[in-house]
Amino acid sequence: MGEECHAVQNNVGILDLSGFAKYDVTGPDAHGFLSRLCANNIPTRAGGITLTHVLSEQLGRIAAEMTITRLDDELYYVLSAAGAEMRDLDHLEQGKLNTESVNINNVTDNRGVLVLAGPKSRNVLSQLTNEPLDSEHFPWLTGKEINICGKPVRTLRVNYVGELGWELHPTMDDLVDIYEGIWQAGSDLGIVNFGLYAVNSLRIEKGYKGWGSELTNEVTMLDADMERFLKLSKENFVGKQATLRQSEGTRSLQLVYFETDADHAEIRGNEPIFHDHKCIGITTSGGYGYRTSKNLGFGYIPPDLVAESSFQIDLVGKRCNIHLLDKPVYDPSNTRLRA
């Protein structure tokens, strides 16, 4: 894991994430439909990418997390978690009004996904395409279809590991050819394969919350410290009124990000959190950050205790101190993502 993380930090790595759930949402009413269904703004510029969430109507709890790319005026490429494929398809299909001209096509099995990440990822990809890849022509949070190895690939400049990089979404038939082309182009640049254990380490250093751990249907966007992905200025979206009601009332949960002094084990999730010798919360996930040499985690505690400084967790039978953090420990300004 450490070798994979350091390779992604210093050179370049490649990861197969073809399990992503993928949908094409098309039609003249596609933008309005997605805007009504989702809590964040939907992209209006060609190639725009947004991270957004579907909320429950009555309580505003997090029902789904989606990344949406506007490929053209009537084509939106929607991605969500592998384990939520059928549920999120239901959210899309059941959320459509009879009056809306929208088509929803589940293309999960039609497209593969390769994540290419690291400071040398541009050097690798530039050998395989004529498309300019500099930040002026292909900025962070932009998606477009380009030719890679002579094959059309939906290419998104976004990733979950906090380094310069792209997600490549070719057809499944072209996946092996694209992978082999990348591997050959990166062979002199120290390219490595990396896996999901490394991804967890890299994402936890960036303070990225995880679907199914920090983000579940038991919590709201306010509980999960996700306000920046809420656009309450929108005229309406599913769960807006519930979110407004909660913002004006009291809450019992608050997500926190922390470092621990534990040196014997990593946080896995579901470890108890203590304050003044009382169990007041629970961890949700964690991991060791190999780029920063820090043992990190997330957890939920009562909001009125966030200002306190003395917390512990019980980690594999040992009581360990934790220190709450107010920003990611790795590249909090996103300089590396924007490189």
Side-chain angles (χ1 to χ4, degrees):
M1 284 175 57
E3 291 175 359
E4 292 175 13
C5 291
H6 287 308
V8 171
Q9 178 187 16
N10 298 310
N11 295 307
V12 60
I14 187 169
L15 163 72
D16 186 340
L17 270 185
S18 297
F20 265 142
K22 317 169 195 77
Y23 318 93
D24 284 346
V25 178
T26 61
D29 295 327
H31 185 274
F33 159 66
L34 290 170
S35 182
R36 180 177 53 76
L37 185 67
C38 300
N40 203 352
N41 287 333
I42 304 304
T44 56
R45 68 175 175 89
I49 298 175
T50 193
L51 179 69
T52 187
H53 300 80
V54 178
L55 310 182
S56 66
E57 178 70 52
Q58 293 184 333
L59 297 175
R61 291 179 176 172
I62 302 172
E65 181 176 62
M66 299 177 176
T67 300
I68 299 178
T69 304
R70 179 174 178 146
L71 292 176
D72 67 33
D73 290 349
E74 294 188 8
L75 170 56
Y76 293 82
Y77 187 42
V78 179
L79 305 171
S80 70
E85 177 189 348
M86 300 314 296
R87 183 170 62 182
D88 288 352
L89 180 61
D90 284 346
H91 285 309
L92 291 168
E93 291 181 335
Q94 296 175 18
K96 183 178 68 171
L97 302 178
N98 292 333
T99 56
E100 291 174 318
S101 180
V102 177
N103 295 308
I104 299 161
N105 186 19
N106 184 0
V107 296
T108 299
D109 293 337
N110 300 346
R111 290 190 176 273
V113 181
L114 296 173
V115 176
L116 184 67
K120 296 180 182 178
S121 58
R122 184 180 280 123
N123 305 63
V124 173
L125 199 56
S126 64
Q127 299 177 54
L128 306 173
T129 182
N130 293 322
E131 183 76 19
L133 300 174
D134 59 280
S135 288
E136 179 182 356
H137 295 93
F138 206 143
W140 182 45
L141 297 181
T142 296
K144 61 178 80 172
E145 186 169 285
I146 65 175
N147 283 339
I148 299 175
C149 299
K151 302 178 186 298
V153 179
R154 290 181 179 179
T155 305
L156 316 181
R157 190 172 163 190
V158 64
N159 65 65
Y160 197 47
V161 300
E163 301 288 349
L164 171 68
W166 284 263
E167 283 183 8
L168 311 177
H169 296 246
T171 65
M172 198 65 79
D173 289 341
D174 292 336
L175 182 66
V176 172
D177 288 342
I178 300 294
Y179 172 84
E180 290 179 346
I182 290 171
W183 190 259
Q184 182 176 356
S187 59
D188 294 332
L189 297 172
I191 193 168
V192 302
N193 292 300
F194 68 106
L196 290 177
Y197 283 109
V199 169
N200 186 65
S201 171
L202 297 164
R203 70 97 184 172
I204 205 79
E205 290 177 308
K206 283 293 293 175
Y208 291 157
K209 288 100 174 176
W211 170 252
S213 52
E214 287 74 53
L215 310 178
T216 76
N217 60 8
E218 298 174 306
V219 299
T220 69
M221 297 287 280
L222 302 181
D223 298 335
D225 191 28
M226 295 286 281
E227 291 94 333
R228 67 191 181 98
F229 298 102
L230 279 170
K231 293 299 180 286
L232 295 173
S233 58
K234 289 204 302 184
E235 181 177 353
N236 199 21
F237 59 84
V238 176
K240 177 180 177 179
Q241 296 308 312
T243 303
L244 288 172
R245 286 194 300 270
Q246 189 191 37
S247 68
E248 296 166 355
T250 59
R251 295 187 293 113
S252 60
L253 295 172
Q254 178 63 58
L255 185 69
V256 292
Y257 177 54
F258 59 84
E259 177 184 357
T260 176
D261 62 2
D263 60 4
H264 66 296
E266 298 181 12
I267 295 157
R268 300 289 294 176
N270 293 320
E271 294 91 357
I273 301 175
F274 296 91
H275 176 68
D276 284 345
H277 306 290
K278 296 180 180 179
C279 181
I280 51 86
I282 194 167
T283 68
T284 52
S285 72
Y288 184 76
Y290 288 91
R291 294 176 296 191
T292 59
S293 301
K294 294 181 182 295
N295 204 350
L296 304 163
F298 284 107
Y300 279 99
I301 66 174
D304 59 356
L305 293 179
V306 170
E308 299 293 328
S309 59
S310 178
F311 297 94
Q312 300 81 38
I313 59 171
D314 192 315
L315 186 58
V316 196
K318 182 178 179 180
R319 194 67 60 90
C320 306
N321 295 318
I322 66 172
H323 171 66
L324 302 191
L325 303 167
D326 60 3
K327 62 183 179 181
V329 296
Y330 186 76
D331 191 26
S333 62
N334 291 327
T335 301
R336 298 176 71 89
L337 280 166
R338 300 175 186 271

